[in-house]
Amino acid sequence: MPIYNAPLKKVDQKETRRYAGLAIADFDENFIIDACDEIVYSATPRGIWNMYNYDNIHGIVLADKDFQITGSKILNHLSHCQKVIIMAVTIGEVIEKSIEMAFNNGTYSHGLLLDAAATTAVEQIADALEKNIDPKANALGYKRIWRFSPGYGDWSITCQPQILKLANAEKIGIHCTSSMMLTPRKSVTAIIGLVPQTDPFSPEKPSCQNCSQKNCPSRKVTNKNF
Amino acid sequence: MIHIFDGAMGTILQERGILKSGICPELLNIKHPADIINVHKAYINAGSTIIETNTFGASRIKLAHFGLEGSTREINMAGVKNARVAACNNAKVAGSMGPTGKFIEPLGDLTFDEAYDIYLEQASALAEAGADYILIETCIDLQEMRTALLAAKKAAPNIPVICQMSYSEDGRTVTGTDAQTAAITLEAMGADIIGANCSTGPEQLLPIVKILAKNCACPISIQPNAGMPHLINGKTIFPMSPIAMAKWAPKLISAGASFIGGCCGTTPNHIAEIKKALYNSPDPIRIKPTSSLALTSRTKTVFIGIDMPTRLIGERINPTGRKKLAAEIKNGSFISVKKEAVEQTNAGADILDVNMGVGGIDQPAAMEKAIKEISQIVSTPLSIDTSDPQSLEAGLKAYPGRALINSVSAEPDRLKYFIPLAKKYGAAILCLPLSDKGLPKTAGDRITILKKIITHAKEAGLKDNDFILDSLVMTIAADKTAGCEVLEALNLYRHEFGYPSTMGLSNISFGLPNRPLVNSTFFAMCLAAGLDAPIMNPYDTSMQNTLSAAAALIAKDPNGQKYSLTASKQQSTIVKEKNIPKNILTAIKNAIINGEKENVANMVEQALKEGHSSNELTEKALSAAMNDVGKDFGAKKIFLPQVMLSAEAMREAFLKIKEIIPAQEIANNGTVVIATVKGDIHDLGKNIVAALLENNGFKLIDLGKDVANEAIVRAAIENDADIVGLCSLMTTTMTQIDSVISSLKKAGSKAHVIVGGAVLTQEYADNAGADAYAEDGVIAVKLAKNLVQNKL
């Protein structure tokens, strides 16, 4: 149950623009910088993960209580994995209050950008946690494939309670509501597959083109359907 | 002299069938000592001159995985005993300590003191059993290495301590420490040998050795893996053959290493080949590292010195005279402290001074918290500013780098308490020429006091690159020679000591008019006289400009390149005057479209004074503007944050109208009850729609998120709502939409229902019985207006 609270020194401005739907807009960079900086000093990044053996024939995470994975995309994604990491990260609750306060004070655009910057930040913390796992995975002769979160593809978010338990996420203050939403809201859970270094398997990365949310404001601008 | 370490232990024990899956490797020290001794002997026979005890994972915390935490001392002592038996005085014994597997706060949940106790216990057992070295290896976090080193020095003050960190292929540890930073931090703390092991092979570690050799004077040790591992048929294989690996040994030695061995995947054969490759190899030629003062954070080194650019020490994390900051610190909130850290760094501070001088608080705890929080968000090295030795120690412990202590005067208590702490934690000291005999008036007096501090510090073991000297600025309004004495002091410091200098500048101008002019002029003079690291407010643009120009003038910015960049940027940002239309309604409309909320209220006031009615204002300026915004949004010419800026400007306009005109005279487009449905906690979309509706003349009742059906129905009925807006983001909560609509109908609500949210579709809205589906906020406003107008 290793805990790794990755430092958050900078929030990626480009990604924040994208999440705010401003990827191709001419918009004052200072607004973005202000939101990114505010996230840096109001976030409380936390991260936790556990490694499990994985039965890739039956799609079962071999824990004290086995966890059956369902969903064709996730099963295919993990089809070459011998081990998996179950991880959870959050940037805490203070951000929620800052966003709420921005809307209450009538600084709506700042609230919107804060939300986008917070999303960027939690993804960065998840990336940093993944990087932290690398030496351990590499020393065992494994490489990691991209993380897959409940809700992607056809992997239902109803598995969140089990994921949280396997990651021991309560220890860093992440919980799940009865409608399977994570609190604090800016949190991420995911499974990371570990494939032998020598296995050339490289699953296809998710892209905006394959996503059903055609009106998503953060849709990548390379997509001509935007 | 070149020393040859041994190689891996665990893999050999596995191959020989001695170590089986699920067994604690270190327990074999007790259960199978003969087998361990045999592995050691194999390495000695291969040419190892230092063998490592089989105690890598024998910390209490690791042994607890096997329920063996109670046997920590016994297992470690047995490890040394086995190595001693094998060595038989033909090799030295290094007591190995690996990482605990947990990160120290704030990166993890282990406290510094817990980690220290764990390492102290292990190092004490290793030392007591007779290890010749303590070897701390495979650390990926500088803070953990610092803790282990402190514990090892405490447990074994007379035994050399080797500190080996593990670097990834990018030349940094997983937590971001580069080899230069590690070398400087650990040598200052008293590491006897500094090196690297594991993670990568010899090729990748070669540049690390070069960097270590350049940045510390102590010997370098290196223990690479036999290449990068592969998993073949369920076994982890390290691909590098003994001969291939040995080829790198002379290169590692000539790069500066004098201790060499192997880590994962290396065998006695590898060591034998390394020994052969180094036969008659000369000792490495080491160049003395720079004598500049270096401060570090976990991930960055900043040098301060005569040949370096001027370094700016940011003074703003200081509650003195700042009530709001003091109150926040007192309440345990560090958001403003963190804000200052980020903003000062953005403003160009190279070092941040941290002062927690608030009365009536637990200052050591506040200092610890501040240092932890700041070091998580900026890479800027820190200066710890306190008069309390306990706060200083709390800060130094918590800081994952080499800090500056601000400040050490010649007052007896400072010398007595601060200097040993500087030595213990490897901090540099800012020497302040103050003594218990009062303020030194002349430059010569300052030199006398500084000599006393430096002599004392050197006796305690501090070195030439541990000092920065303060020039002690006093007020010219009280003493006409105060400025001259500072300039003289700066000159003398260069000649007498050669150490870098610092000062807080603003004292110089107390009591004088136009202080910024005096300060910046004095600053320029001091820079010319040799000031290396001013302590100042990094937001002060006139001082920053002086620094920028002075750097060019004194050749610290060759040919004024940086100056040119900064100065030309400033010129280009001069704002062009905007063309304001003469028609006030058009001006308001344009201001709203452009999201320029600053002047809207004044314009509205002017429009009303000119006789425009509130309805006219709303129709011709505000609604007209929002129509244009909506069209541009629909055409993807502008995007949501821009729409929200317009809404902000609308809000300012409405607030002004409401302030001036009686409520009943203001147009009301209708009443809207809005909520995110039960179970859903995502309310950004709802907030956006609420903001837009409210600023388009609707009376808004925002019930918030996760709202029960009954509350929505009650609010709709009680307020005779024209519209009910429902939002649901997730599939798991979408069905609540159906349920609320059905409840509203049952309760006899006449309100139109508009629904929206990420997963909702027109089809779903139709099936649920909604009157409209809003794809986005702008459409929601349009729909609301249409529905209300048709209803009326």
Side-chain angles (χ1 to χ4, degrees):
Chain A
M1 182 198 41
I3 284 184
Y4 179 56
N5 307 319
L8 180 67
K9 293 185 174 164
K10 216 166 176 51
V11 176
D12 188 318
Q13 290 167 21
K14 208 174 157 199
E15 275 296 276
T16 300
R17 269 185 171 271
R18 189 172 72 80
Y19 281 119
L22 286 168
I24 55 169
D26 178 17
F27 193 75
D28 190 342
E29 196 62 27
N30 288 322
F31 287 113
I32 315 276
I33 292 169
D34 283 351
C36 289
D37 281 353
E38 186 167 338
I39 296 299
V40 169
Y41 50 74
S42 52
T44 314
R46 297 273 177 267
I48 193 163
W49 60 276
N50 270 329
M51 189 186 287
Y52 296 97
N53 288 324
Y54 180 66
D55 171 356
N56 59 29
I57 307 291
H58 303 98
I60 296 170
V61 177
L62 303 165
D64 288 344
K65 195 179 166 193
D66 289 349
F67 168 45
Q68 173 72 55
I69 289 181
T70 52
S72 60
K73 282 188 180 163
I74 175 74
L75 287 170
N76 185 45
H77 180 74
L78 299 175
S79 59
H80 288 238
C81 299
Q82 296 176 355
K83 288 179 185 288
V84 290
I85 307 280
I86 311 271
M87 58 162 277
V89 294
T90 182
I91 54 166
E93 284 168 345
V94 178
I95 308 296
E96 312 273 321
K97 286 176 190 140
S98 303
I99 296 169
E100 197 180 314
M101 205 187 290
F103 275 97
N104 289 342
N105 293 341
T107 50
Y108 312 126
S109 55
H110 185 57
L112 189 65
L113 294 172
L114 275 182
D115 193 88
T119 303
T120 308
V122 76
E123 292 293 332
Q124 281 179 225
I125 296 302
D127 292 346
L129 184 107
E130 279 195 303
K131 200 178 165 209
N132 177 259
I133 291 165
D134 278 348
K136 293 192 172 77
N138 293 344
L140 295 168
Y142 291 100
K143 62 184 177 191
R144 67 178 154 85
I145 53 174
W146 57 267
R147 64 175 180 267
F148 202 115
S149 287
Y152 285 173
D154 54 355
W155 194 23
S156 166
I157 58 167
T158 51
C159 67
Q160 287 289 27
Q162 286 148 298
I163 291 281
L164 291 176
K165 202 167 177 193
L166 290 170
N168 222 333
E170 283 190 4
K171 193 155 185 187
I172 57 165
I174 305 180
H175 301 275
C176 180
T177 68
S178 55
S179 46
M180 304 299 150
M181 292 180 202
L182 299 177
T183 57
R185 196 163 58 83
K186 294 296 177 186
S187 303
V188 164
T189 60
I191 193 164
I192 303 165
L194 299 184
V195 176
Q197 295 271 13
T198 44
D199 187 334
F201 177 70
S202 174
E204 192 189 343
K205 284 205 169 185
S207 72
C208 289
Q209 278 82 349
N210 301 332
C211 178
S212 61
Q213 297 295 324
K214 304 290 181 203
N215 289 319
C216 172
S218 57
R219 204 169 174 82
K220 297 243 176 172
V221 287
T222 46
N223 182 356
K224 286 180 182 159
N225 294 330
F226 183 78
Chain B
M1 185 181 168
I2 294 167
H3 306 265
I4 312 277
F5 270 114
D6 53 7
M9 169 69 80
T11 41
I12 296 177
L13 294 173
Q14 273 172 344
E15 273 169 20
R16 294 182 182 181
I18 303 157
L19 179 59
K20 296 195 172 67
S21 173
I23 302 292
C24 172
E26 289 76 15
L27 186 62
L28 300 178
N29 289 334
I30 294 169
K31 297 286 181 193
H32 297 276
D35 292 318
I36 301 295
I37 291 167
N38 282 339
V39 177
H40 287 318
K41 278 185 177 167
Y43 279 116
I44 294 166
N45 292 338
S48 293
T49 55
I50 304 177
I51 52 170
E52 296 168 47
T53 55
N54 177 37
T55 53
F56 178 81
S59 64
R60 187 197 320 155
I61 201 163
K62 283 263 185 182
L63 291 175
H65 297 314
F66 303 94
L68 292 169
E69 63 274 27
S71 307
T72 305
R73 182 179 145 84
E74 191 189 353
I75 288 172
N76 280 287
M77 293 189 81
V80 177
K81 190 181 162 197
N82 293 335
R84 277 255 158 269
V85 170
C88 209
N89 294 328
N90 294 321
K92 299 278 186 190
V93 171
S96 164
M97 302 204 295
T100 61
K102 284 186 159 204
F103 284 110
I104 295 172
E105 291 175 340
L107 286 186
D109 58 343
L110 195 63
T111 67
F112 184 99
D113 290 337
E114 282 167 341
Y116 179 82
D117 285 346
I118 286 161
Y119 280 118
L120 185 66
E121 181 184 28
Q122 191 181 0
S124 300
L126 293 169
E128 195 184 331
D132 299 303
Y133 298 91
I134 300 290
L135 168 65
I136 309 159
E137 53 179 336
T138 327
C139 272
I140 54 169
D141 175 34
L142 187 59
Q143 182 68 334
E144 183 169 27
M145 181 57 94
R146 288 179 76 242
T147 315
L149 173 58
L150 283 172
K153 298 294 270 184
K154 171 78 177 173
N158 301 316
I159 299 175
V161 181
I162 308 169
C163 294
Q164 290 179 174
M165 300 203 64
S166 270
Y167 297 90
S168 307
E169 283 176 274
D170 63 358
R172 289 183 180 266
T173 69
V174 170
T175 57
T177 303
D178 58 286
Q180 179 182 56
T181 296
I184 289 164
T185 310
L186 297 172
E187 183 165 57
M189 288 184 71
D192 299 282
I193 298 154
I194 293 172
N197 72 303
C198 204
S199 273
T200 51
E203 185 178 359
Q204 293 81 7
L205 285 181
L206 185 61
I208 299 286
V209 173
K210 287 180 183 168
I211 295 168
L212 292 174
K214 257 191 204 168
N215 288 283
C216 61
C218 65
I220 308 294
S221 66
I222 199 77
Q223 300 199 69
N225 285 346
M228 305 296 276
H230 299 307
L231 194 73
I232 296 167
N233 297 330
K235 273 191 170 180
T236 309
I237 307 291
F238 289 83
M240 201 168 240
S241 71
I243 289 173
M245 188 163 173
K247 279 185 185 161
W248 289 94
K251 293 177 191 166
L252 290 165
I253 297 298
S254 64
S258 47
F259 288 70
I260 185 167
C263 201
C264 303
T266 54
T267 64
N269 289 341
H270 288 81
I271 298 303
E273 288 299 331
I274 288 171
K275 178 89 175 177
K276 213 191 285 176
L278 294 178
Y279 181 71
N280 270 345
S281 182
D283 285 359
I285 297 164
R286 297 281 302 276
I287 297 160
K288 204 177 165 218
T290 165
S291 60
S292 293
L293 170 71
L295 301 176
T296 66
S297 64
R298 190 195 299 277
T299 56
K300 187 179 178 183
T301 296
V302 170
F303 286 100
I304 305 172
I306 293 156
D307 302 327
M308 304 288 163
T310 307
R311 305 299 188 190
L312 203 159
I313 304 177
E315 65 181 4
R316 300 275 301 165
I317 305 176
N318 188 337
T320 313
R322 300 177 68 194
K323 279 185 187 167
K324 190 176 164 248
L325 184 63
E328 275 194 29
I329 294 168
K330 205 166 184 171
N331 293 334
S333 164
F334 283 73
I335 287 185
S336 290
V337 166
K338 291 199 275 181
K339 187 176 177 185
E340 284 292 354
V342 170
E343 291 186 351
Q344 287 189 94
T345 301
N346 291 345
D350 300 290
I351 294 129
L352 298 173
D353 193 56
V354 182
N355 181 311
M356 290 289 119
V358 180
I361 63 164
D362 180 347
Q363 283 205 20
M367 183 61 84
E368 181 188 337
K369 179 152 191 207
I371 298 282
K372 281 181 185 169
E373 298 274 11
I374 295 167
S375 60
Q376 281 287 80
I377 59 168
V378 291
S379 302
T380 320
L382 302 184
S383 156
I384 301 174
D385 188 4
T386 176
S387 54
D388 170 30
Q390 284 178 318
S391 298
L392 177 62
E393 179 150 26
L396 290 170
K397 262 163 82 169
Y399 188 55
R402 167 163 151 89
L404 177 67
I405 298 176
N406 179 11
S407 49
V408 178
S409 65
E411 292 159 296
D413 273 3
R414 293 284 172 120
L415 296 175
K416 184 177 170 190
Y417 296 115
F418 278 34
I419 287 176
L421 288 173
K423 174 68 185 156
K424 181 177 177 184
Y425 292 98
I429 61 171
L430 185 154
C431 305
L432 185 69
L434 261 182
S435 69
D436 47 352
K437 288 174 188 134
L439 293 167
K441 192 169 161 47
T442 66
D445 294 343
R446 288 170 171 79
I447 298 284
T448 307
I449 299 172
L450 288 176
K451 277 184 177 165
K452 185 178 174 187
I453 300 168
I454 290 162
T455 305
H456 197 98
K458 283 193 167 176
E459 279 168 9
L462 270 69
K463 300 196 175 76
D464 283 331
N465 58 0
D466 288 327
F467 305 110
I468 181 165
L469 312 179
D470 193 300
S471 315
L472 194 65
V473 176
M474 286 183 278
T475 308
I476 48 171
D479 176 358
K480 67 177 180 182
T481 62
C484 300
E485 290 301 334
V486 167
L487 296 170
E488 175 66 10
L490 287 168
N491 269 318
L492 283 177
Y493 287 1
R494 279 274 193 272
H495 295 113
E496 288 277 341
F497 305 106
Y499 304 145
S501 59
T502 182
M503 64 170 76
L505 284 146
S506 55
N507 270 358
I508 197 76
S509 60
F510 272 139
L512 294 181
N514 197 358
R515 288 186 66 194
L517 174 65
V518 180
N519 289 346
S520 58
T521 307
F522 183 55
F523 186 28
M525 295 164 87
C526 290
L527 289 167
L531 173 62
D532 300 297
I535 303 171
M536 59 180 255
N537 176 356
Y539 313 139
D540 187 331
T541 45
S542 74
M543 296 289 264
Q544 285 273 23
N545 288 341
T546 303
L547 177 60
S548 171
L553 291 166
I554 59 176
K556 287 199 172 190
D557 171 15
N559 310 112
Q561 285 182 359
K562 276 188 188 167
Y563 169 78
S564 302
L565 271 177
T566 320
S568 57
K569 209 184 249 177
Q570 281 170 347
Q571 274 172 355
S572 69
T573 53
I574 294 168
V575 183
K576 285 179 193 162
E577 205 169 304
K578 284 191 178 145
N579 216 354
I580 300 169
K582 282 182 186 161
N583 181 325
I584 191 68
L585 294 182
T586 313
I588 294 171
K589 183 183 165 192
N590 287 353
I592 288 179
I593 290 172
N594 296 326
E596 294 162 3
K597 64 179 177 181
E598 290 75 17
N599 295 321
V600 163
N602 287 340
M603 289 183 191
V604 165
E605 202 168 355
Q606 188 188 331
L608 293 171
K609 270 185 196 159
E610 284 178 15
H612 296 286
S613 70
S614 71
N615 277 345
E616 195 185 0
L617 243 173
T618 310
E619 284 304 312
K620 291 186 179 165
L622 309 186
S623 293
M626 221 51 207
N627 283 343
D628 284 4
V629 168
K631 275 181 207 157
D632 284 350
F633 180 71
K636 297 200 189 305
K637 285 183 187 163
I638 62 166
F639 299 90
L640 202 48
Q642 291 152 309
V643 176
M644 300 316 287
L645 277 182
S646 292
E648 287 178 31
M650 287 276 275
R651 183 175 184 271
E652 294 300 318
F654 273 115
L655 287 174
K656 194 46 134 182
I657 293 171
K658 281 176 192 165
E659 187 188 310
I660 297 176
I661 293 184
Q664 64 273 20
E665 288 179 26
I666 299 169
N668 179 4
N669 281 336
T671 302
V672 182
V673 166
I674 192 166
T676 298
V677 296
K678 189 166 174 51
D680 209 319
I681 53 171
H682 298 86
D683 62 347
L684 185 71
K686 185 268 298 170
N687 286 340
I688 290 166
V689 175
L692 288 172
L693 285 169
E694 189 161 29
N695 294 301
N696 274 280
F698 287 90
K699 182 187 170 196
L700 199 83
I701 296 150
D702 185 347
L703 302 177
K705 58 190 173 187
D706 192 14
V707 185
N709 295 5
E710 306 78 54
I712 299 172
V713 173
R714 193 166 55 243
I717 300 286
E718 282 175 3
N719 294 287
D720 192 20
D722 299 293
I723 305 279
V724 171
L726 301 174
C727 174
S728 159
L729 188 82
M730 308 294 281
T731 46
T732 46
T733 58
M734 198 160 61
T735 52
Q736 287 295 323
I737 297 262
D738 309 50
S739 169
V740 178
I741 292 173
S742 153
S743 303
L744 281 166
K745 282 180 181 161
K746 262 188 216 157
S749 164
K750 293 191 179 75
H752 293 298
V753 180
I754 303 177
V755 298
V759 293
L760 286 186
T761 59
Q762 180 71 54
E763 192 188 1
Y764 191 92
D766 293 343
N767 289 336
D771 296 292
Y773 160 68
E775 199 175 280
D776 57 54
V778 174
I779 291 174
V781 174
K782 207 171 169 182
L783 287 169
K785 279 182 179 169
N786 288 343
L787 286 169
V788 170
Q789 275 162 13
N790 291 340
K791 185 182 169 189
L792 296 173

